């Protein structure tokens, strides 16, 4: 079988080698380049819109060429399951790819345009990866309406697909290289007649020969302007149509005016020509952007690597009629919930689920930063994108597509990289005004030189237009933010908010929760002391029934203690105190029970508990069980301090950052942990409101506070902290309130994250300083006529490139 080159029947892009996507259209199997095109084409066929393919004249990737029906296909509920996350009510969120982004001004234009649409809740574009996060109300606006609105301003947007992203990167790189090649060839060819004309001015070259060389230069320069430089004109026109001034406006004005003036001089045989300057600064600008594009792709490499973790295929176990199972190789996207999947050693787990057969170890390093493989047994959780190391595992699929942990990580990472810190917002607001100021300065320079030395006025003004670089200002923060968040993600530290690292760099105080944060949270019931007439088994069943509504690690340990949990009515949990419920006794009368802190239960029993016999109080957390009839039992629970906790606390303190421990646990247990870790400030028996009050007291004293917790009752405190950090295995509510999630659960990554955040802040300030100093120095030099236009083009390109390369230092 020959592996001939094929194009996607749907979009026209080349089909990657080895791809097996296809759709039956008009009774014929047609090749597709990726799962995204396959899904869209199949949806078109399923909705009876086959005529789209009959009536179109050619394949095209431009949205303007796609009939409205195709955009409406993206509103299809079944198609959206693969890339849209449904939230409360009609609120939905999706990841998109944007094509046509060339500078930070494009990002600003798209964000501003889409956010103005009624029904769009949020829209953010990551300049480094060209990925966008869209959140909208589906009752007010449909996804197809948003895609059409983006197409109306000259950009292309479509649902994110990892295969297509790679194809777009290759296409973007190929197109850029072609433009550079044409410009470079033109530059070399134009330089030959230009040198001859420079020499001829001081020799006896005839006028006819001089004019002939001008025409030769015009012929060579024309394809450079209309092909290589077209990207600048397209972008500038797009900005001007929206009443905006992006960085390509002065560039296009410089190239266009120099070319038109040179054409006029050639046709009329009067004045100066600037063909050599036109091709040279077109070449250098394109080369600078190409290098910047490569650095940009490298900065967003971590997000791309996460996307590529998922396998293309999976081995599904299907049941035969006789009850036996057969192995079927299927595309991973075709898996459904509750499917049984065989994962062989060395294979990547295709979806989130749990082990139902087999024992092996799984490498989760790319997601959590944990270098050692983790043992997995029946009942244990498996995460999509991780690698099975030793033995075959049979798993049951529980989460797919946008619901998987990997998709959540990618979505949060995109959100963090696209959200703009305060410095970036200021730079974006300033960029447009900067361009307008630049145009006024160029006009003033032209007028000045027209009166003093008219022959030089035009090219001096060109140099002023070209040499300035507002893009370096807009790139200063996003480039550093993308590199830093990528670095941290590789270490198992997921940044979910754009402002998090900016605030983390300024932290002056860190607050730790105890259970599940400084300790492993693997709590066990060490002992049960009976305080009433009930048996141990009865107390365990009562406690398990009450605690089953709670996510707290203490509650989980107690609920797992008994194999039989009684069913209570009117269960009510009080955050930080305990749980209350009603249970009918043998006579059918409802009796109120409580489990939790001593204070909480004593309010029901109306008495102090009997004196307890404690063997090792320093390690015990005590949970009381009682009823209206009196005290029933005391549960002694024990946990283990994380092995890296002491070193993490010491590193923070050595950095001059004080550490506090706030816990709802009993005084003896909290004091013991604080002493072992060297924490000088600790408080026990605190409710969530008490923790929040302590945090706010520190903030009122001017402290910038980071809070680290993992439980449901930590959510209010996390929300109130300047930087909130949740443990990777903590409750979903804690993670939802957090700015940063420690996927690795390694506390030592916290001090290193603060160091990296401070480095990022320093590099952002360096980038801003460089961009400001460059423009302040470059504009006067160009205005004095000391810089030729081609030299100005090099300066402008290098200015942006320096900013991106400086930011890439954060990847190390």
């Amino acid at each position: 079988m020959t592996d001939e080159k094929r194009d996607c029947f749907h979009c026209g892009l080349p089909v990657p080698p080895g791809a097996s996507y296809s759709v039956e259209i008009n009774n014929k199997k047609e090749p597709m380049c990726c799962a995204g095109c396959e899904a869209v084409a199949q949806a078109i066929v399923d909705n009876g819109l086959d005529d789209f393919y009959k009536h179109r004249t050619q394949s095209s990737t431009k949205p303007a060429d796609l009939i409205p029906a195709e955009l409406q296909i993206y509103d299809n509920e079944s198609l959206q399951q693969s890339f849209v996350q449904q939230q409360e009510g009609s609120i939905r969120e999706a990841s998109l790819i944007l094509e046509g982004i060339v500078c930070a001004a494009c990002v600003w234009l798209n964000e501003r345009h889409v956010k103005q649409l009624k029904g769009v809740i949020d829209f953010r574009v990551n300049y480094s990866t060209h990925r966008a996060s869209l959140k909208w109300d589906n009752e007010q606006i449909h996804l197809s309406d948003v895609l059409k609105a983006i197409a109306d301003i000259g950009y292309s947007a479509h649902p994110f697909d990892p295969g297509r992203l790679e194809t777009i990167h290759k296409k973007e790189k190929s197109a850029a290289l072609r433009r550079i090649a044409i410009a470079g060839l033109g530059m070399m060819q134009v330089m030959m007649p230009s040198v001859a004309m420079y020499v001829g001015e001081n020799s006896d070259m005839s006028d006819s020969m001089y004019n002939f060389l001008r025409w030769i230069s015009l012929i060579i320069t024309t394809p450079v302007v209309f092909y290589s430089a077209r990207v600048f004109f397209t972008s500038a026109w797009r900005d001007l149509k929206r009443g905006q001034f992006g960085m390509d406006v002065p560039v296009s004005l410089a190239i266009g005016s120099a070319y038109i003036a040179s054409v006029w001089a050639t046709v009329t045989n009067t004045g100066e020509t600037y063909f050599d300057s036109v091709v040279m600064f077109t070449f250098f600008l394109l080369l600078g952007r190409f290098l910047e594009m490569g650095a940009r792709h490298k900065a967003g490499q971590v997000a791309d690597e996460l996307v590529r973790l998922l396998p293309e295929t999976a081995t599904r176990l299907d049941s035969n009629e006789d009850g036996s199972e057969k192995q079927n190789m299927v595309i991973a996207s075709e898996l459904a919930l509750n499917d049984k999947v065989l994962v062989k050693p060395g294979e990547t787990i295709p979806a989130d689920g749990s082990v139902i057969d087999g024992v092996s170890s799984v490498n989760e390093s790319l997601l959590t930063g944990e270098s050692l493989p983790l043992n997995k047994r029946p009942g244990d959780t498996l995460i999509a994108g991780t690698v099975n190391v030793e033995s075959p595992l049979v798993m049951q699929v529980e989460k797919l597509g946008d619901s998987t942990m990997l998709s959540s990580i990618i979505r949060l990472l995109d959100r963090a990289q696209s959200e703009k810190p305060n410095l970036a917002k200021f730079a974006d607001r300033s960029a447009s005004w900067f361009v307008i100021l630049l145009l006024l300065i160029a006009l003033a320079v032209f007028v000045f030189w027209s009166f003093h030395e008219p022959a030089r006025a035009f090219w001096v003004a060109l140099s002023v237009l070209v040499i300035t670089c507002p893009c370096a200002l807009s790139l200063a923060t996003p480039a550093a933010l993308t590199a830093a968040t990528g670095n941290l993600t590789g270490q198992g530290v997921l940044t979910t908010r754009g402002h998090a690292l900016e605030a983390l760099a300024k932290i002056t105080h860190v607050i730790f929760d105890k259970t599940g944060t400084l300790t492993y949270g693997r709590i066990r019931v060490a002992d049960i002391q009976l305080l009433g007439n009930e048996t141990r088994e009865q107390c365990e069943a009562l406690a398990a029934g009450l605690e089953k509504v709670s996510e707290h690690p203490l509650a989980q340990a107690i609920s797992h203690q008994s194999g039989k949990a009684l069913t209570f009515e009117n269960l009510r949990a009080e955050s930080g105190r305990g749980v209350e419920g009603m249970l009918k006794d043998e006579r059918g009368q409802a009796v109120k029970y409580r489990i939790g802190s001593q204070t909480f239960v004593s309010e029901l029993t109306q008495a102090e508990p009997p004196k307890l016999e404690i063997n090792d109080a320093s390690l015990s957390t005590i949970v009381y069980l009682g009823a209206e009839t009196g005290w029933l039992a005391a549960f002694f629970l024990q946990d283990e301090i994380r092995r890296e906790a002491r070193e993490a606390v010491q590193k923070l303190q050595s950095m001059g950052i004080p550490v506090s421990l706030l816990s709802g646990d009993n005084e003896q247990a909290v004091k013991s942990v604080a002493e072992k870790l060297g924490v000088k400030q600790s408080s026990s028996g605190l409710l969530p409101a008490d923790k929040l009050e302590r945090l706010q007291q520190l903030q009122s004293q001017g402290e910038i506070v980071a809070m680290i917790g993992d439980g449901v009752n930590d959510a209010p405190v996390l929300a109130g902290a300047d930087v909130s950090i949740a443990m990777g295995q903590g409750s979903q509510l804690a993670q939802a309130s957090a700015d940063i999630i420690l996927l690795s659960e390694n506390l030592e990554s916290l001090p290193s994250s603060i160091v990296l955040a401070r480095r990022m802040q320093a590099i952002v300030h360096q980038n801003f300083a460089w961009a400001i100093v460059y423009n302040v120095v470059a504009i006067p030099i160009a205005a004095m006529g000391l810089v030729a236009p081609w030299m100005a083009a090099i300066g402008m390109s290098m200015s942006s490139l320096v900013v991106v390369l400086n930011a890439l230092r954060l990847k190390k």
Side-chain angles (χ1 to χ4, degrees):
M1 179 178 176
T2 58
D3 189 14
E4 60 183 73
K5 185 178 179 181
R6 300 174 299 163
D7 291 335
C8 177
F9 185 76
H10 177 71
C11 72
L13 292 173
V15 176
S20 58
Y21 305 106
S22 65
V23 173
E24 187 172 328
I25 301 172
N26 298 322
N27 300 318
K28 183 182 177 184
K29 283 276 187 182
E30 300 291 356
M32 301 288 158
C33 66
C34 63
C37 284
E38 183 184 52
V40 174
Q42 189 62 56
I44 289 174
V45 173
D46 293 344
N47 284 271
L49 300 170
D50 309 56
D51 286 348
F52 164 65
Y53 295 109
K54 286 182 180 178
H55 299 311
R56 66 176 184 174
T57 56
Q58 61 178 9
S59 299
S60 175
T61 56
K62 296 185 295 182
D65 294 339
L66 302 180
I67 64 171
E70 181 177 348
L71 292 180
Q72 290 169 2
I73 287 301
Y74 290 125
D75 299 330
N76 186 287
E77 294 285 342
S78 58
L79 177 60
Q80 287 191 358
Q81 289 180 4
S82 64
F83 66 92
V84 172
Q85 184 188 32
Q86 296 196 14
Q87 301 182 349
E88 292 184 12
S90 58
I91 306 301
R92 300 186 180 183
E93 188 172 359
S95 293
L96 307 175
I97 303 176
L98 258 67
E99 296 183 55
I101 300 290
V102 296
C103 70
C106 299
V107 172
W108 180 87
L109 174 61
N110 274 276
E111 288 181 341
R112 182 172 179 179
H113 177 66
V114 174
K115 284 179 179 178
Q116 290 174 344
L117 301 174
K118 185 179 179 182
V120 172
I121 299 170
D122 194 22
F123 183 70
R124 296 183 303 271
V125 181
N126 183 342
Y127 176 58
S128 295
T129 61
H130 292 185
R131 289 180 62 181
S133 175
L134 172 67
K135 193 175 184 180
W136 77 99
D137 186 341
N138 205 51
E139 290 183 354
Q140 297 186 48
I141 191 170
H142 292 110
L143 178 58
S144 59
D145 299 324
V146 178
L147 299 181
K148 186 177 183 302
I150 293 172
D152 288 342
I153 58 172
Y155 297 87
S156 167
H158 45 78
F160 172 73
D161 178 87
R164 187 161 186 175
L165 177 65
E166 191 171 352
T167 303
I168 289 171
H169 280 175
K170 289 179 180 177
K171 179 183 172 185
E172 185 182 13
K173 185 177 179 181
S174 177
L177 285 172
R178 283 197 300 270
R179 286 192 292 267
I180 291 171
I182 296 297
L185 185 63
M187 181 181 69
M188 289 186 290
Q189 298 301 318
V190 165
M191 286 308 296
M192 290 188 285
S194 295
V195 170
M197 284 189 287
Y198 291 143
V199 174
E201 285 181 347
N202 301 315
S203 64
D204 57 353
M205 180 182 288
S206 64
D207 291 342
S208 60
M209 177 56 71
Y210 195 81
N211 197 37
F212 173 74
L213 293 175
R214 282 183 163 191
W215 279 99
I216 292 296
S217 299
L218 169 59
I219 293 169
I220 297 171
T221 303
T222 298
V224 174
V225 172
F226 286 93
Y227 176 74
S228 296
R230 184 178 60 187
V231 63
F232 302 126
F233 295 117
T234 303
S235 176
W237 177 241
R238 197 161 47 204
D239 289 343
L240 291 173
K241 280 197 300 184
R242 300 291 304 171
Q244 308 300 329
F245 291 87
M247 67 163 290
D248 283 335
V249 172
V251 169
S252 300
L253 188 60
I255 294 174
S257 57
Y259 177 73
I260 291 170
S262 300
V263 170
W264 176 257
T266 302
V267 172
T268 60
N269 198 22
T270 58
E272 296 290 331
T273 59
Y274 308 95
F275 292 121
D276 53 344
S277 294
V278 169
V279 293
M280 286 181 75
F281 65 65
T282 298
F283 172 78
F284 286 122
L285 285 173
L286 290 172
L287 181 61
R289 285 207 180 167
F290 179 77
L291 295 173
E292 179 195 321
M293 178 182 68
R296 191 164 38 78
H297 288 172
K298 190 174 181 182
Q301 194 172 9
V302 169
D304 294 345
E305 287 175 355
L306 287 175
V307 168
R308 286 193 285 268
L309 286 180
L310 289 177
E312 290 288 332
T313 59
T315 304
R316 187 174 63 198
L317 298 178
D318 296 328
S319 299
N320 293 318
E321 293 180 359
D322 60 0
S324 62
E325 292 181 335
K326 63 177 181 179
Q327 298 181 13
N328 286 326
M329 185 69 70
V330 297
I331 298 173
S333 59
E334 293 180 0
L335 291 174
L337 293 177
N338 299 318
D339 276 352
K340 283 171 133 183
V341 177
L342 173 64
V343 185
K344 300 173 185 177
E347 290 186 345
T348 301
I349 294 165
D352 284 5
S354 58
V355 179
I356 57 178
D357 189 26
V359 176
S360 184
S361 57
V362 174
N363 188 340
E364 299 182 353
S365 60
L366 284 174
L367 288 179
T368 66
E370 176 59 53
S371 58
L372 295 176
L374 302 177
N375 292 326
K376 299 290 180 179
R377 300 176 177 277
D380 287 347
T381 300
L382 295 175
I383 303 171
T386 58
V387 180
N388 182 20
V389 178
E390 294 173 348
S391 306
L393 290 174
V394 177
M395 66 173 289
Q396 184 173 31
V397 175
E398 296 175 350
K399 291 182 181 179
L400 289 164
D402 228 35
S403 301
T404 63
M405 180 180 176
L406 179 62
S407 295
S408 300
I409 291 172
I410 294 170
R411 191 163 53 247
L412 290 170
L413 183 60
D414 277 345
R415 182 177 73 179
Q417 292 181 345
S418 57
E419 283 186 344
K420 294 178 175 63
N422 293 328
L423 279 173
K425 291 176 182 177
F426 172 75
D428 286 349
R429 288 194 301 267
S430 305
S432 185
W433 292 106
F434 184 89
V435 173
I436 296 172
L437 180 63
L438 164 64
L439 295 175
L440 293 174
I441 291 173
L443 179 62
V445 168
F446 178 77
V447 171
F448 173 83
W449 282 92
S450 296
F451 283 105
H452 291 79
E453 197 172 342
R456 301 181 63 195
F458 188 74
W459 72 259
V460 172
L462 286 183
S463 297
V464 172
L465 283 174
V466 174
I467 201 167
T468 50
C469 190
C471 203
L473 284 169
S474 297
L475 273 173
T477 301
L481 183 63
T482 300
T485 51
N487 184 330
L488 289 176
T489 303
Q491 298 178 39
V493 181
L494 179 63
T495 308
T496 69
R497 293 290 181 184
H499 67 81
L501 291 183
E502 188 178 22
L504 191 63
K506 303 172 184 175
I507 285 301
T508 59
H509 199 106
V510 174
I511 295 176
F512 284 96
D513 178 41
K514 182 179 76 70
T515 305
T517 305
L518 289 173
T519 64
Y520 283 106
R522 295 195 287 264
I523 300 170
R524 62 183 182 88
V525 178
D527 192 17
I528 301 175
Q529 189 170 328
L530 301 178
L531 306 177
N533 297 323
E534 301 288 351
T535 66
R536 181 186 177 102
E537 289 74 18
Q538 287 174 321
C539 289
E540 287 177 349
L542 287 166
L546 287 167
E547 294 285 32
K548 67 182 181 182
V549 298
S550 176
E551 288 188 44
H552 195 281
L554 297 176
Q556 296 293 313
I558 293 173
S559 63
H560 292 155
Q561 180 70 15
S562 173
K564 180 184 177 183
L566 297 178
T567 303
F568 283 79
E569 296 178 352
N570 302 323
L571 282 169
R572 180 175 62 88
E574 289 195 23
S575 183
R577 302 189 73 203
V579 180
E580 176 185 282
M582 304 292 291
L583 183 69
K584 291 183 179 179
D585 61 13
E586 296 174 351
R587 293 172 297 176
Q589 294 182 341
V591 179
K592 185 182 291 185
Y593 290 82
R594 281 187 177 183
I595 188 168
S597 67
Q598 178 182 331
T599 305
F600 180 64
V601 179
S602 64
E603 290 173 2
L604 178 66
T605 62
Q606 297 295 309
E608 291 297 314
K611 188 175 181 181
L612 302 177
E613 297 177 6
I614 303 174
N615 297 324
D616 189 3
S618 66
L619 291 178
S620 295
T621 296
I622 305 171
V623 175
Y624 291 88
L625 174 66
E628 292 174 303
T629 56
W631 294 90
L632 297 177
F635 291 79
F636 295 83
L637 298 104
Q638 291 185 339
D639 197 0
E640 183 184 352
I641 296 173
R642 292 182 184 274
R643 62 179 180 273
E644 78 281 1
R646 180 173 177 82
E647 191 169 348
V649 168
Q650 289 177 343
K651 283 183 179 179
L652 288 171
Q653 291 173 338
S654 67
M655 294 165 62
I657 301 175
V659 174
S660 296
L661 170 57
L662 303 182
S663 176
D665 215 338
N666 66 74
E667 183 179 359
Q668 291 174 318
V670 173
K671 188 176 180 181
S672 171
V673 171
E675 288 176 352
K676 289 181 178 180
L677 298 181
V679 177
K680 298 175 183 177
Q681 303 173 40
S682 63
S683 300
S684 58
L686 300 179
L687 298 175
D690 299 327
K691 293 181 183 179
L692 183 59
E693 184 181 351
R694 299 290 178 90
L695 182 143
Q696 290 172 341
Q697 284 177 359
L698 288 171
Q699 289 174 328
S700 66
Q701 296 167 12
E703 301 280 6
I704 300 175
V705 184
M707 168 70 190
I708 310 170
D710 82 315
V712 171
N713 61 343
D714 292 322
V717 200
L718 289 169
D722 296 287
V723 180
S724 50
I725 304 169
M727 303 300 283
Q729 300 300 319
S731 71
Q732 292 183 352
L733 185 57
Q735 293 186 5
S737 306
D739 301 317
I740 296 172
I741 300 174
L742 294 183
L743 296 174
S744 64
E745 297 212 325
N746 185 345
L747 292 177
E748 281 190 281
S749 60
L750 179 59
S752 60
S753 297
I754 295 175
V755 171
L756 184 66
R758 290 176 175 177
R759 280 184 59 212
M760 187 203 80
Q761 199 74 350
I763 283 178
V764 167
H765 289 148
Q766 291 168 13
N767 285 348
F768 270 105
W770 161 255
I772 292 169
V773 169
Y774 167 80
N775 284 293
V776 167
V777 172
I779 292 175
I781 291 175
M784 288 187 290
L786 302 177
V787 181
W790 65 269
M791 295 170 62
I794 294 176
M796 178 190 184
S797 301
M798 291 303 105
S799 177
S800 293
L801 192 59
V802 164
V803 165
V804 177
L805 291 177
N806 190 39
L808 283 178
R809 293 193 296 130
L810 290 167
K811 288 178 67 69
K812 297 181 180 179

